[in-house]
Every structure is written in structure tokens, then in C-alpha cells.
Amino acid sequence: MSESIEELKKKIKIQNDIIKGYEKVLRLNEQELENADEIIRMYETIIQYSGQELKNVKEAFDATSIVTNLSRDELITAMNRIKELELTNKKLREESLKFQS
């Protein structure tokens, strides 16, 4: 015939236990999602920071490159000027030797 009240109470208890288990799993899943969101935000922050660092490094490299090129150009100009002065001195010595003779 129909089930006894005790059997129905047992079934209700089992169903309540199952529901509590599902609720617990749901809370754990929600916590995992929150953790995943936090991890994603952290990675986004790291990526943003890394991008800025990369930009800063590139700017520093570009600045160093410009300074190096300027220094190189200045050195070449100075070396050319020294050669000109040495050539002028050599000519002046030759002229002075002509007058001494």
C-alpha cells in the first residue's frame, strides 16, 4: 500500500541531505569562480605592468641609442677636427722649415 510515515521521513531526510550537498557544492563552485576572477584580475594587472615595463625599457633603449649615436657622431667630428689640426700643424712646420733654411 502506501509508504509508512517513517519511510517518507527517511526519504525526505535523504533528499534534504542531497540538497544540502548540492548547496555545498554550489558554494564551493561560487568560491572557485571568485578565486578565478581574482586570479584573472591579478594576471591582467601583471600584463598591464609588464606592458608598461616593456614600454619603459624600449624608451630607455631608444634614449641610450640616441645618446650613443650622438656620442659617436661627436667622436667622429672630434677625430676629424684633430686630423685637420694635425695636417695644419704639419703644413705650418714645413713652412717654418722653409723660412729657417
Side-chain angles (χ1 to χ4, degrees), residues 51-90:
Q52 185 61 42
E53 282 296 303
L54 183 59
K55 182 181 173 190
N56 291 345
V57 167
K58 184 183 179 318
E59 288 174 357
F61 177 77
D62 290 345
T64 301
S65 214
I66 289 169
V67 169
T68 300
N69 287 339
L70 286 174
S71 297
R72 183 180 167 273
D73 292 344
E74 288 175 357
L75 183 58
I76 289 171
T77 301
M79 291 301 291
N80 288 338
R81 182 69 179 136
I82 289 170
K83 287 178 185 175
E84 289 173 10
L85 289 171
E86 286 176 344
L87 185 61
T88 302
N89 281 343
K90 183 179 176 185

Side-chain angles (χ1 to χ4, degrees), residues 7-53:
E7 290 174 347
L8 289 172
K9 284 182 180 179
K10 284 182 186 177
K11 283 185 180 180
I12 290 173
K13 184 182 179 327
I14 291 170
Q15 289 175 350
N16 283 339
D17 289 345
I18 291 171
I19 290 170
K20 286 178 186 175
Y22 282 141
E23 288 173 345
K24 189 172 185 178
V25 168
L26 182 61
R27 281 192 300 275
L28 289 172
N29 285 341
E30 288 172 349
Q31 184 62 46
E32 282 185 39
L33 283 174
E34 287 176 19
N35 291 344
D37 283 344
E38 186 174 346
I39 290 169
I40 288 170
R41 283 192 300 276
M42 291 169 73
Y43 274 117
E44 287 172 345
T45 302
I46 290 169
I47 289 168
Q48 184 180 10
Y49 178 76
S50 296
Q52 185 61 42
E53 282 296 303

